[in-house]
């Protein structure tokens, strides 16, 4: 498994929020280094869609490529850490719109 995600109850775990990702949950792959910044073909992680949206609403492609290109650095970002604490209390298939505009690429 390329993304190194753990399994819980037969479902992969989201490496950002550590909740299971059931088959019916909205999900997507995140390139740890954005494709437009040299990450095409690089490592990816499977995330809940809401977690992926929050990453891109918080950080620019350049910030992701230069400073936040591992799960550990993403989890340590103050805004993402606050989001993780909030979303951890939600059911695994929970999804809502991400508040605020997405960062420009």
């Amino acid at each position: 498994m390329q993304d190194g995600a753990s399994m819980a109850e037969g479902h992969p775990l989201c490496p950002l929020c550590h909740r299971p990702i059931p088959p019916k949950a909205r999900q997507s792959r995140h390139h740890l280094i954005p494709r437009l910044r040299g990450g095409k073909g690089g490592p990816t992680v499977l995330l809940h869609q809401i977690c992926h949206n929050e990453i891109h609403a918080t950080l620019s492609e350049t910030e992701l490529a230069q400073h936040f290109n591992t799960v550990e650095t993403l989890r340590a970002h103050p805004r993402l850490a606050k989001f993780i604490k909030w979303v951890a209390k939600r059911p695994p298939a929970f999804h809502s719109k991400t508040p605020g505009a997405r960062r420009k690429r």
Side-chain angles (χ1 to χ4, degrees):
M1 188 179 282
Q2 180 179 348
D3 57 33
S6 300
M7 300 289 274
E9 300 174 14
H11 304 303
L13 280 183
C14 177
L16 193 70
C17 71
H18 293 162
R19 295 177 304 142
I21 306 174
K24 293 186 179 184
R26 293 178 67 176
Q27 55 189 279
S28 64
R29 290 215 162 263
H30 171 68
H31 286 80
L32 291 172
I33 297 173
R35 289 176 296 187
L36 297 175
R37 298 288 186 262
K40 186 176 181 182
T44 63
V45 290
L46 181 66
L47 302 171
H48 290 103
Q49 185 66 53
I50 192 172
C51 295
H52 197 187
N53 291 352
E54 189 66 25
I55 289 169
H56 287 284
T58 301
L59 298 161
S60 70
E61 299 284 306
T62 300
E63 290 169 320
L64 287 167
Q66 293 178 355
H67 306 293
F68 297 96
N69 51 29
T70 66
V71 172
E72 293 77 20
T73 56
L74 289 168
R75 288 181 53 82
H77 186 281
R79 178 175 160 172
L80 293 176
K82 185 177 177 182
F83 165 79
I84 292 164
K85 187 174 179 182
W86 172 82
V87 83
K89 299 173 189 168
R90 306 300 185 268
F94 174 80
H95 184 81
S96 71
K97 289 189 175 183
T98 303
R102 285 179 59 124
R103 297 286 308 253
K104 296 221 184 317
R105 291 180 184 219

